[in-house]
Amino acid sequence: MSGVKHRVVIVGGGFGGLSAAQTLAGADAEVTLIDQRNHHLFQPLLYQVATASLSTSEIAWPIRSILRKRGDVRTLLASVTGVDTVAKTVQIEGGPPVPYDSLILATGARHAYFGHDEWEKFAPGLKTLEDATTIRRKLLLAFEAAERESDPARRQALMTFVIIGAGPTGVELAGAIIELAKISLRDNFRAIAPEEARVVLIEGGQKVLANFKPELSEYTLGALRRLGVEVELGAAVTSIDADGVVYGDKRIEAKTVIWAAGVQASPAAKWLGVEPDRAGRVRVEPDMSVPGLPDVFVVGDTASITMPDGKPVPGVGDAAKQSGRHAANVIKARLAGDTSAKPFRYKHAGDIATIGKRAAVIDFGWIRLKGWIAWWAWGLAHIYFLIDTKNRLFVAMSWLWIYLSGQRSARLITQGDAAKQVPKGE
Amino acid sequence: MSGVKHRVVIVGGGFGGLSAAQTLAGADAEVTLIDQRNHHLFQPLLYQVATASLSTSEIAWPIRSILRKRGDVRTLLASVTGVDTVAKTVQIEGGPPVPYDSLILATGARHAYFGHDEWEKFAPGLKTLEDATTIRRKLLLAFEAAERESDPARRQALMTFVIIGAGPTGVELAGAIIELAKISLRDNFRAIAPEEARVVLIEGGQKVLANFKPELSEYTLGALRRLGVEVELGAAVTSIDADGVVYGDKRIEAKTVIWAAGVQASPAAKWLGVEPDRAGRVRVEPDMSVPGLPDVFVVGDTASITMPDGKPVPGVGDAAKQSGRHAANVIKARLAGDTSAKPFRYKHAGDIATIGKRAAVIDFGWIRLKGWIAWWAWGLAHIYFLIDTKNRLFVAMSWLWIYLSGQRSARLITQGDAAKQVPKGE
């Protein structure tokens, strides 16, 4: 090696990329982590930013600050535009290509609209901090516009919130929005009663939280309905426009629609020139490397991988962390002379989702919990997984405050001129 | 009055408008508070959002939430476009005119560029939450771009931060930026040493904090220089462009310039059809009403008023609060049958400014403090003046955290694609 260190380039500072960087500590390598944003984001709590419970800085940390004590890691804020697998470089916008000896692509996923990209402008999804503040702005502006609207039908459309997709994100959003309306906004308006807001959760399948055990799915359905959420099952959405949603043979007038139904992997497959799977993901070997490109690894939501038991690895944060760690360990082993390709084994820690601020469902396999005890376990688990002590403390205090007072402190309409953005009822 | 209540319309939910609304509690009136934003902002701490110490939600509160227990107050999110003083209505965008019997205009001020409006795009000012996140983004992106820049001169321009105007805002920004570079960003970069950043404070006059007692001005100048801030006095800026600033016969290459030098009142004078003073403010009678329009009051930064001793009332938050309260009390007295026009008497509580995180200057008249003891007094005073208990607690904890660890938690680059916004060195 003549003193030149092995260069590892990681693209993406989410759960997968960050855990890869952390696993490479102590390896005889120079690591470059490239991300188009300056922050690592704790996505599981993003819905709480969207619903004004937490502020943006409580769930995001500058990547270079997380890695500041790692002199072997360089952090680069840049947009990747492609990968040259022959020259072994990563192309970035406005800068020279970044050479690699090993490459880990951990670029995550965006929401997908099943071939209906025109729906995106009416029904934003929730993947980034900007998505969350956009949804927060839409939610809060809808109530502001309703307060100014005199026509009852238009007012009702402004106070109707539709969430499409009843996986964990959809369920958590529905519970949080109805509690925002019924508790946090109470007494705030004079012309409208925010507690009369309708929250409609539309799901194409027959169950909410379809990946959970049937008992927990059923409990969640009941808990949502007790909160006042209208749940529509077996309802495939066929059209979305600025005024509402069509599903099955029904139309619902709603000025605010949120998409929580599908995701599409990032363009990593295009960069590599390989054929993606239906969700845009790169099919990888059991060791997370790309077939024919042993020095290139794809991890997390960008990778398509099936376990020996035939089950696909789910697109959750923990799977991203585990696969990022695995790719880093394969590189470390190679640097130590061990080139046997150890296969990735995903360990499913469990499924977890909250329904409002007093109930949750947890399935850790060996234990299943539901109700308030699951809610407390959910809260403690999420606080534990936050990046640093300050955020653990602040998120815990924010939750305690909301729990006791009902008041949410992050009810800000930002980005541009709020008054000019008030939607019209017509 | 035949059972119809007196209608008071307040335009602006800043210190002046909010204190007017609060003073009107218990009056036999219906109050409407109109603001183009949904939040009241604690402007004295805005520079801490701009320098990544506090998050936006720590210094801003939804106006309708602050007033939720006041059934007599209606809050309206709307842009005011004019006032009809004959029909006695306030015109708003996209809605019917709002009729008033008494009107209080408390619309504040924006920064002014002394006839050089073309400077605004190179040197943003600091008045709103969006201004603060814009400046935060510029500051953080400059370091990101410097990390990627190989040319030493361009790198130096990226790491040079110029603040124009050495009043409290300029002094506080300069201290906070140099500490951001020297303490919070330490060890975060590999190609640059952020502690080598230059912070240049340019002031046209001969003193920093010109309104303070000479002894405190001189102390502040020394404290800034000890921190490493380059202070240029008697230096009138003659040109600002994308690459730097010209003052006197010197030019400094700097990619980040912040304007803290002048303000201009909001368009209230235009709405009323009266001749404004040089700073765009409306000249008012001693009772804060507009000459010839006894039912219209102008308060805070939008009003031009001189005390009997010939001194102008300064454009500070406390003066806005006091004048808002005065206008509300005049209306209350009239409703109770007392039409004597009581003159406003401004009581100057004191001057206060911080220099970084270990020094401050305070002049309460009966007591003058400087150094660390003033810093603690400053912190306690500001926490006390925050709107609610939760924010008091959170801001206090955030400060304690930064004080002990040096780590700032709000170092987020948001609004759009961070990587695409990295400024070019050339």
Side-chain angles (χ1 to χ4, degrees):
Chain A
M1 289 296 224
S2 75
V4 178
K5 283 199 178 175
H6 188 84
R7 294 161 301 185
V8 181
V9 173
I10 301 168
V11 182
F15 286 126
L18 197 58
S19 84
Q22 282 161 339
T23 305
L24 285 167
D28 190 29
E30 270 174 4
V31 180
T32 301
L33 196 159
I34 308 175
D35 198 304
Q36 58 185 334
R37 298 174 192 277
N38 84 323
H39 51 268
H40 170 75
L41 178 65
F42 192 75
Q43 280 188 344
L45 291 178
L46 202 49
Y47 80 97
Q48 296 216 351
V49 172
T51 52
S53 284
L54 293 178
S55 74
T56 49
S57 60
E58 286 177 321
I59 63 159
W61 307 261
I63 296 168
R64 61 171 76 257
S65 171
I66 299 172
L67 297 170
R68 69 184 181 279
K69 289 179 182 156
R70 288 283 303 282
D72 57 324
V73 181
R74 180 170 72 121
T75 304
L76 210 55
L77 175 68
S79 275
V80 169
T81 55
V83 174
D84 184 334
T85 54
V86 178
K88 297 181 87 170
T89 58
V90 174
Q91 276 113 41
I92 60 172
E93 210 169 86
V98 183
Y100 67 81
D101 297 306
S102 296
L103 174 64
I104 300 176
L105 297 176
T107 43
R110 288 288 298 167
H111 22 274
Y113 291 82
F114 309 135
H116 287 280
D117 288 350
E118 73 277 14
W119 292 353
E120 179 158 20
K121 67 170 178 285
F122 308 119
L126 184 60
K127 278 283 175 190
T128 67
L129 274 189
E130 283 81 7
D131 292 341
T133 51
T134 298
I135 289 174
R136 182 176 75 187
R137 186 174 68 238
K138 281 184 76 111
L139 289 173
L140 297 174
L141 283 174
F143 286 102
E144 296 291 338
E147 175 82 350
R148 283 177 58 173
E149 179 59 62
S150 51
D151 179 79
R154 290 187 203 146
R155 186 182 275 187
Q156 188 56 61
L158 285 163
M159 288 176 67
T160 301
F161 302 90
V162 173
I163 298 124
I164 300 171
T169 301
V171 165
E172 292 180 328
L173 275 171
I177 293 171
I178 203 142
E179 288 190 341
L180 172 71
K182 293 203 170 182
I183 301 170
S184 304
L185 297 183
R186 192 163 50 199
D187 299 336
N188 273 235
F189 294 84
R190 301 294 170 255
I192 61 167
E195 53 272 33
E196 290 171 7
R198 288 178 67 193
V199 177
V200 185
L201 180 63
I202 299 180
E203 165 61 39
Q206 295 302 328
K207 295 197 291 186
V208 301
L209 301 179
N211 292 332
F212 284 55
K213 293 282 178 305
E215 161 203 353
L216 297 178
S217 270
E218 275 158 43
Y219 169 81
T220 301
L221 180 63
L224 284 168
R225 287 184 168 151
R226 277 191 298 279
L227 275 179
V229 175
E230 301 167 41
V231 184
E232 298 274 8
L233 297 174
V237 170
T238 53
S239 164
I240 308 176
D241 57 47
D243 297 311
V245 175
V246 180
Y247 59 97
D249 54 358
K250 290 192 229 175
R251 178 178 170 89
I252 184 164
E253 302 296 318
K255 286 282 177 189
T256 310
V257 183
I258 304 172
W259 187 260
V263 295
Q264 177 80 17
S266 66
K270 214 172 73 187
W271 297 341
L272 298 174
V274 301
E275 189 62 34
D277 76 354
R278 277 202 332 163
R281 295 173 303 185
V282 177
R283 292 185 191 88
V284 294
E285 301 282 357
D287 70 346
M288 304 305 295
S289 70
V290 177
L293 298 169
D295 296 324
V296 180
F297 299 82
V298 179
V299 304
D301 288 0
T302 320
S304 171
I305 186 163
T306 306
M307 288 295 97
D309 64 2
K311 285 192 186 156
V313 175
V316 297
D318 195 38
K321 277 191 199 176
Q322 291 182 34
S323 58
R325 200 180 304 137
H326 185 83
N329 277 326
V330 170
I331 294 170
K332 272 176 110 166
R334 285 184 193 168
L335 288 175
D338 173 7
T339 55
S340 67
K342 289 190 183 59
F344 174 50
R345 292 266 176 273
Y346 170 63
K347 274 192 201 143
H348 190 61
D351 294 305
I352 190 161
T354 48
I355 312 133
K357 71 173 185 172
R358 286 198 166 76
V361 286
I362 290 182
D363 182 356
F364 286 156
W366 55 276
I367 187 169
R368 281 176 219 157
L369 299 172
K370 59 195 182 194
W372 64 270
I373 193 165
W375 188 86
W376 281 98
W378 172 90
L380 290 175
H382 279 71
I383 286 168
Y384 174 79
F385 282 116
L386 290 173
I387 286 283
D388 73 13
T389 314
K390 185 195 171 210
N391 291 79
R392 288 188 190 122
L393 191 65
F394 274 58
V395 169
M397 289 199 357
S398 287
W399 284 347
L400 191 66
W401 192 268
I402 296 167
Y403 192 84
L404 297 175
S405 74
Q407 295 303 314
R408 304 190 189 201
S409 60
R411 266 173 54 200
L412 299 180
I413 300 172
T414 53
Q415 297 168 21
D417 187 333
K420 296 221 163 76
Q421 296 177 48
V422 176
K424 298 285 177 292
E426 67 270 18
Chain B
M1 288 296 225
S2 75
V4 178
K5 283 201 176 173
H6 188 85
R7 293 160 302 184
V8 181
V9 173
I10 301 169
V11 183
F15 287 125
L18 196 59
S19 85
Q22 281 160 339
T23 306
L24 286 166
D28 190 28
E30 269 174 4
V31 180
T32 301
L33 194 157
I34 308 175
D35 197 305
Q36 57 184 336
R37 297 173 194 277
N38 84 324
H39 50 267
H40 169 75
L41 179 65
F42 192 77
Q43 280 186 345
L45 290 180
L46 202 49
Y47 81 96
Q48 296 215 352
V49 173
T51 52
S53 284
L54 293 177
S55 75
T56 49
S57 61
E58 286 176 322
I59 62 160
W61 306 262
I63 296 168
R64 61 172 75 258
S65 171
I66 299 172
L67 297 169
R68 69 183 180 279
K69 288 179 185 157
R70 289 281 303 282
D72 59 321
V73 181
R74 181 170 70 118
T75 305
L76 210 56
L77 174 69
S79 274
V80 169
T81 54
V83 175
D84 184 334
T85 55
V86 178
K88 297 182 90 171
T89 58
V90 174
Q91 276 113 40
I92 60 172
E93 210 169 84
V98 183
Y100 67 81
D101 297 307
S102 296
L103 174 64
I104 300 176
L105 296 176
T107 42
R110 287 288 298 168
H111 22 272
Y113 291 83
F114 308 134
H116 287 281
D117 288 349
E118 74 277 13
W119 293 353
E120 179 158 21
K121 68 170 179 284
F122 308 118
L126 184 61
K127 278 281 175 193
T128 68
L129 274 189
E130 283 82 6
D131 292 342
T133 51
T134 298
I135 289 175
R136 182 177 75 187
R137 188 173 66 237
K138 282 184 75 111
L139 288 174
L140 297 175
L141 282 175
F143 286 102
E144 296 290 338
E147 175 81 350
R148 283 176 57 172
E149 179 60 62
S150 51
D151 178 81
R154 289 186 203 147
R155 184 183 277 186
Q156 187 58 59
L158 285 163
M159 289 177 66
T160 302
F161 302 90
V162 173
I163 299 125
I164 301 171
T169 301
V171 165
E172 292 181 327
L173 275 171
I177 293 171
I178 203 144
E179 288 190 341
L180 172 70
K182 293 203 170 183
I183 300 170
S184 303
L185 296 184
R186 192 161 49 196
D187 300 335
N188 273 237
F189 294 84
R190 302 293 172 255
I192 60 167
E195 53 272 32
E196 290 171 7
R198 288 178 66 192
V199 177
V200 185
L201 181 62
I202 299 180
E203 165 61 39
Q206 295 301 328
K207 294 198 292 187
V208 301
L209 301 179
N211 293 333
F212 285 55
K213 294 281 178 303
E215 162 203 351
L216 297 180
S217 271
E218 276 159 41
Y219 170 81
T220 301
L221 180 63
L224 284 169
R225 288 184 167 154
R226 277 191 298 279
L227 275 179
V229 175
E230 302 167 39
V231 185
E232 299 274 7
L233 297 173
V237 170
T238 53
S239 165
I240 307 176
D241 56 47
D243 297 312
V245 176
V246 179
Y247 59 97
D249 54 0
K250 288 192 227 173
R251 178 176 170 89
I252 184 164
E253 302 298 321
K255 286 284 174 186
T256 310
V257 182
I258 305 172
W259 186 260
V263 296
Q264 178 79 17
S266 65
K270 215 175 71 187
W271 297 341
L272 298 173
V274 302
E275 188 63 35
D277 77 353
R278 276 203 331 163
R281 295 173 303 184
V282 176
R283 292 184 191 88
V284 293
E285 301 282 358
D287 69 347
M288 304 305 294
S289 69
V290 177
L293 297 168
D295 297 323
V296 180
F297 300 83
V298 179
V299 304
D301 288 359
T302 320
S304 171
I305 186 162
T306 305
M307 288 296 95
D309 64 2
K311 283 192 187 156
V313 175
V316 297
D318 194 38
K321 276 191 198 176
Q322 292 181 34
S323 58
R325 199 180 305 137
H326 184 83
N329 277 326
V330 171
I331 295 169
K332 272 178 111 168
R334 286 184 193 167
L335 288 174
D338 172 8
T339 56
S340 68
K342 288 190 183 59
F344 173 52
R345 290 268 176 273
Y346 170 63
K347 274 191 201 144
H348 190 62
D351 295 305
I352 189 161
T354 47
I355 313 133
K357 72 171 185 174
R358 287 201 164 75
V361 287
I362 290 181
D363 182 357
F364 286 157
W366 55 276
I367 187 168
R368 280 177 219 157
L369 298 172
K370 58 193 183 195
W372 64 269
I373 194 166
W375 188 87
W376 282 98
W378 171 92
L380 290 175
H382 279 72
I383 286 168
Y384 174 79
F385 282 116
L386 289 174
I387 287 281
D388 73 12
T389 313
K390 187 197 168 206
N391 291 80
R392 286 187 190 123
L393 191 64
F394 274 59
V395 170
M397 288 201 354
S398 288
W399 285 347
L400 192 64
W401 191 268
I402 296 167
Y403 193 84
L404 297 175
S405 74
Q407 294 304 314
R408 305 190 187 200
S409 61
R411 265 172 55 198
L412 298 179
I413 300 171
T414 52
Q415 294 168 22
D417 187 334
K420 295 220 164 77
Q421 296 179 46
V422 176
K424 297 286 176 293
E426 66 270 22

